[in-house]
Amino acid sequence: MSEVYAARRTRLRDRCNAGGSAAALVTRPANVRYLAGAAPKNAVLLLGKREDLLVCVGPPDDRPPQGRPDEALRVHALPGPGGDAAVAAADLATAQGADSLAVEEHHLTVARHRAIGSVAPRLRLADLGGAVEQLRVVKDEEEISCLRIGAEIADQALGELLESILVGRTERHLALELERRLVDHGADGPAFPTSVATGPHAGHRGHRPTDRRVEEGDFLSVCLGAAYRGYRCEIGRTFVIGTSPADWQIELYDLVFAAQRAGREALAPGAAFRDVDRAARQVLDSAGHAERLQPLTGHGVGLEIDEDPQLAPTAMGKLDACVPVTVEPGVHLPGRGGVRIDDTLVVRPEADGGPELLTITTKELLAL
Amino acid sequence: MSEVYAARRTRLRDRCNAGGSAAALVTRPANVRYLAGAAPKNAVLLLGKREDLLVCVGPPDDRPPQGRPDEALRVHALPGPGGDAAVAAADLATAQGADSLAVEEHHLTVARHRAIGSVAPRLRLADLGGAVEQLRVVKDEEEISCLRIGAEIADQALGELLESILVGRTERHLALELERRLVDHGADGPAFPTSVATGPHAGHRGHRPTDRRVEEGDFLSVCLGAAYRGYRCEIGRTFVIGTSPADWQIELYDLVFAAQRAGREALAPGAAFRDVDRAARQVLDSAGHAERLQPLTGHGVGLEIDEDPQLAPTAMGKLDACVPVTVEPGVHLPGRGGVRIDDTLVVRPEADGGPELLTITTKELLAL
């Protein structure tokens, strides 16, 4: 793995040098992990002129959930607590002869930026921008394999829940049960707070579980994901509780299903983000749900659950092969509930069989 | 409650005006919640010249876990997604005639600070510093009551776990079980990731649960807390598994217990932070554990689990009445495990009975 991290750092260094900066300071934890193999708490990564350093506050914690730091990377541990690794890293950059340092202005606070300026007044601070986030968009097969395993775990957890009795249990309990099952099956933990939404809550994106109990006739929508070796996937499904769904439920489900399928089918290398979004969105629009739509119908996943790209009406850019994204349109009718269907897929060229579906739980409307 | 939030905002405004700023922008979520009753995702609070505004991206989500916004506070919802509430708030500050705006430089990123500067070039940006954090240190009785309920919930969850069979179960399972019980008893959720540490892991602060199973003869240390109406408490206990603790276990436990008691007994209005720390620390120091000590022996709790003050050797300042803090010394012996004992207490004057212990689970060495 060490070569993988070194290669990533080389790509970033090239980009940085091309931008006129001799050194770069990476502070955003997911970016540190991407480039260093691990992101110990409060650690930062310095891409220095002479060598790269993982600068930690105290000794790095290399237990599994955080990942192990790349062994080829030298660790510089600050002696005491209370220090700022970013400030120390700026000092180390200067010691290596750098006269400029690109920092992540979208992550670094004004106070830390100022502290760096004070400790290294001769260092010209530039903006690294989202350079690391951009590198992270296209995944290698090792990363995709982690996402695939995470998706299998989420499928298993969801499948087991569906075999248990649901009526009478609260959203909170079902969410905790799902999270327990994720861990049972080998996840580091949930990829994000598990959402379980019943009745009028169903179909609401990011619903936080309440004490409402599952009732006969409810829509039940569930969104969960596993974190596996740091990689986070997402699956969302909607079910009906009881033997016979109402007509409006079947109609709404079929509509969201059609929208989600249209989104999935639009995934291809070279497809514009906004076109994928439009494919799903226009199905719902034409059924009169334009007002109620979410701002996006999908997003990238990886070391963070919500990464670039965004599949949204105003998003700029095109998909590449090996980009994992969610496709997750939904409709929520206030007071009645709604439907969300959410998959994680990897964009693949037609010649390789088209988009690879990672979350394989059935999307039939199950009556539970 | 509305008067409480208004009074807090008035105190902050007075401080701000005294510092020469006509308006203030609060972005740190716990600070927004403290002053506005709720912190909807990506929302910020503007203390304006004419009126205060809770600026939200989209309509505020007022479901229980986030709290309900103060009804006396006007909500300004940005129409679309993707906007930055802080930038919009700066614009609104200008529209109210402010020529200066104090911002939280320790929270605001360089990129957002720059965006504010672009949209409101005539606004002089100053630093609000930790003004809201300082207001938050001393709690009112309503806040303490939330912490007290949270502590009761954590005590209940821990008590129930101790009645179940522990040998053979993994750290991860025990942690998830504790979190389920917290929610069962009415917590919003865990106050922080529950730590369960067995055998050689025991006594390690912030240990993340692994798949290691509880074995006969282990030390088992557990640290958990409940979030209740946004307020977060903490309790940590260490047990031995099996009928008869080894001599070294009894000795180490008695030592940490003595240190923790010394820390608790040092809590009083007017006591210096470092003196409380020293009271606990010197017990462990004198037994030869100086090298292995944590950087702090306690910290404030409230809307965040780790707030001011810090009870540490170099901390400056003195305790006030009605400040809730943890006292949590521990010793970890590499390869063997260790002991941590952690309580949440509220500083009270001697006349009121001295420090109020919120986490009342026994601190005897239980053999389970």
Side-chain angles (χ1 to χ4, degrees):
Chain A
M1 275 305 284
S2 199
E3 315 79 61
V4 172
Y5 300 119
R8 291 173 183 172
R9 293 196 298 272
T10 299
R11 289 174 67 200
L12 182 64
R13 175 175 289 105
D14 291 349
R15 206 177 264 224
C16 223
N17 293 351
S21 287
L25 175 63
V26 179
T27 50
R28 188 173 177 172
N31 291 346
V32 173
R33 181 160 186 172
Y34 182 74
L35 298 167
K41 197 175 175 196
N42 297 325
V44 306
L45 175 69
L46 172 68
L47 295 197
K49 264 186 93 166
R50 281 205 310 270
E51 71 170 332
D52 299 340
L53 294 170
L54 182 64
V55 185
C56 300
V57 180
D61 181 349
D62 63 353
R63 282 164 298 170
Q66 291 88 342
R68 287 183 191 282
D70 174 9
E71 284 169 14
L73 191 60
R74 196 151 73 81
V75 172
H76 179 96
L78 303 189
D84 183 337
V87 172
D91 212 17
L92 293 162
T94 311
Q96 289 190 27
D99 55 359
S100 60
L101 180 70
V103 301
E104 299 191 292
E105 292 191 350
H106 60 299
H107 178 263
L108 206 61
T109 65
V110 176
R112 293 178 88 191
H113 194 263
R114 183 162 299 150
I116 290 172
S118 303
V119 79
R122 270 175 244 152
L123 206 54
R124 190 173 52 77
L125 297 182
D127 186 10
L128 185 57
V132 188
E133 285 85 349
Q134 283 163 40
L135 292 180
R136 283 168 47 198
V137 169
V138 174
K139 270 70 176 178
D140 64 32
E141 289 302 324
E142 185 77 26
E143 295 181 279
I144 291 171
S145 156
C146 291
L147 287 167
R148 197 180 288 121
I149 293 170
E152 278 174 21
I153 291 171
D155 277 322
Q156 283 179 301
L158 183 56
E160 288 170 3
L161 187 82
L162 299 184
E163 290 170 13
S164 66
I165 292 183
L166 300 170
V167 170
R169 296 172 72 193
T170 70
E171 294 174 352
R172 285 190 198 222
H173 274 115
L174 293 176
L176 283 162
E177 162 109 13
L178 282 166
E179 295 190 353
R180 187 178 63 75
R181 290 184 186 278
L182 290 173
V183 172
D184 274 354
H185 290 295
D188 306 339
F192 54 89
T194 298
S195 178
V196 175
T198 62
H201 303 152
H204 201 298
R205 185 169 196 258
H207 173 75
R208 294 212 200 180
T210 70
D211 290 325
R212 190 184 183 283
R213 291 175 193 277
V214 176
E215 293 175 14
E216 284 282 332
D218 274 356
F219 263 138
L220 168 69
S221 58
V222 173
C223 189
L224 75 158
Y228 183 77
R229 297 197 181 163
Y231 283 82
R232 292 158 197 271
C233 66
E234 188 173 318
I235 177 171
R237 293 289 184 269
T238 300
F239 311 100
V240 283
I241 303 298
T243 44
S244 49
D247 287 348
W248 73 272
Q249 289 178 317
I250 295 172
E251 205 172 298
L252 191 62
Y253 192 90
D254 288 348
L255 181 73
V256 174
F257 178 79
Q260 205 255 357
R261 187 178 51 202
R264 279 186 281 122
E265 290 175 353
L267 294 177
F273 304 150
R274 58 171 63 174
D275 291 341
V276 177
D277 176 73
R278 190 188 304 124
R281 192 175 293 271
Q282 70 187 5
V283 175
L284 304 177
D285 270 10
S286 62
H289 292 296
E291 296 296 300
R292 298 194 187 89
L293 293 188
Q294 307 294 333
L296 47 82
T297 54
H299 55 79
V301 296
L303 288 169
E304 292 174 292
I305 191 58
D306 197 348
E307 298 193 348
D308 290 333
Q310 291 217 320
L311 306 180
T314 58
M316 301 288 284
K318 292 179 175 179
L319 288 172
D320 281 309
C322 301
V323 175
V325 293
T326 65
V327 178
E328 47 171 314
V331 174
H332 177 259
L333 306 177
R336 300 177 77 188
V339 176
R340 294 185 63 75
I341 303 174
D342 183 353
D343 279 313
T344 302
L345 305 99
V346 181
V347 177
R348 303 280 192 188
E350 191 62 40
D352 294 350
E356 177 188 352
L357 182 68
L358 300 187
T359 45
I360 61 171
T361 297
T362 182
K363 288 185 281 282
E364 279 178 89
L365 176 55
L366 297 183
L368 303 173
Chain B
M1 275 305 284
S2 199
E3 315 80 62
V4 172
Y5 299 119
R8 291 174 183 172
R9 292 195 299 271
T10 299
R11 289 174 68 198
L12 182 63
R13 177 176 287 104
D14 291 349
R15 206 177 265 225
C16 223
N17 293 352
S21 287
L25 174 63
V26 180
T27 49
R28 188 173 177 171
N31 291 346
V32 173
R33 181 160 188 171
Y34 182 73
L35 297 166
K41 197 175 173 195
N42 298 324
V44 305
L45 176 69
L46 172 68
L47 294 197
K49 264 187 93 166
R50 281 205 310 270
E51 70 171 332
D52 299 341
L53 293 170
L54 182 64
V55 185
C56 299
V57 180
D61 181 348
D62 64 352
R63 282 165 297 171
Q66 291 88 344
R68 287 181 192 283
D70 174 9
E71 284 169 14
L73 191 59
R74 197 151 74 81
V75 173
H76 179 96
L78 303 189
D84 182 337
V87 172
D91 213 15
L92 293 163
T94 311
Q96 288 190 28
D99 56 358
S100 61
L101 180 70
V103 301
E104 298 191 292
E105 293 191 350
H106 60 299
H107 178 263
L108 207 60
T109 65
V110 175
R112 294 178 87 190
H113 193 263
R114 183 163 298 150
I116 290 172
S118 304
V119 79
R122 269 176 246 151
L123 206 55
R124 190 173 53 78
L125 297 182
D127 186 10
L128 185 57
V132 187
E133 285 85 349
Q134 282 164 40
L135 291 179
R136 284 168 47 198
V137 169
V138 174
K139 270 71 174 177
D140 64 31
E141 289 302 324
E142 186 76 27
E143 296 180 278
I144 291 172
S145 157
C146 290
L147 287 167
R148 198 180 288 121
I149 294 169
E152 278 173 23
I153 291 171
D155 277 322
Q156 283 179 300
L158 182 56
E160 288 170 4
L161 187 81
L162 299 185
E163 289 170 13
S164 65
I165 292 185
L166 299 171
V167 171
R169 297 171 72 193
T170 69
E171 293 174 353
R172 286 192 197 221
H173 274 115
L174 294 176
L176 283 163
E177 162 112 12
L178 282 166
E179 295 190 353
R180 187 178 64 76
R181 290 185 185 277
L182 290 173
V183 172
D184 275 354
H185 289 296
D188 306 338
F192 55 89
T194 298
S195 178
V196 175
T198 62
H201 302 150
H204 201 299
R205 187 169 195 257
H207 173 75
R208 295 213 199 180
T210 71
D211 290 325
R212 188 182 184 284
R213 292 176 192 277
V214 176
E215 294 175 14
E216 285 281 331
D218 274 356
F219 264 137
L220 168 70
S221 59
V222 173
C223 188
L224 74 158
Y228 183 78
R229 297 197 181 164
Y231 283 83
R232 292 158 196 271
C233 66
E234 187 175 319
I235 177 172
R237 293 290 185 269
T238 299
F239 310 100
V240 282
I241 303 298
T243 44
S244 50
D247 287 348
W248 73 273
Q249 290 177 317
I250 296 173
E251 206 172 297
L252 191 62
Y253 192 91
D254 287 348
L255 181 73
V256 174
F257 178 79
Q260 205 256 359
R261 186 177 53 199
R264 281 186 279 121
E265 290 176 353
L267 294 176
F273 304 150
R274 59 171 63 173
D275 290 342
V276 177
D277 176 74
R278 190 187 305 124
R281 193 175 291 270
Q282 69 188 4
V283 175
L284 303 178
D285 270 8
S286 62
H289 293 295
E291 295 296 301
R292 299 195 186 87
L293 293 189
Q294 307 294 332
L296 48 79
T297 53
H299 55 78
V301 296
L303 287 169
E304 292 174 293
I305 191 58
D306 197 348
E307 298 193 347
D308 291 332
Q310 291 217 321
L311 305 179
T314 58
M316 302 287 284
K318 291 178 176 180
L319 289 172
D320 281 308
C322 300
V323 175
V325 293
T326 66
V327 178
E328 48 172 313
V331 174
H332 177 259
L333 307 177
R336 302 177 76 189
V339 176
R340 294 185 62 76
I341 304 174
D342 183 352
D343 279 312
T344 302
L345 306 98
V346 181
V347 177
R348 304 281 193 188
E350 191 63 40
D352 293 351
E356 177 188 352
L357 182 68
L358 299 188
T359 44
I360 61 170
T361 297
T362 182
K363 287 185 283 282
E364 278 178 273
L365 176 55
L366 296 184
L368 302 172

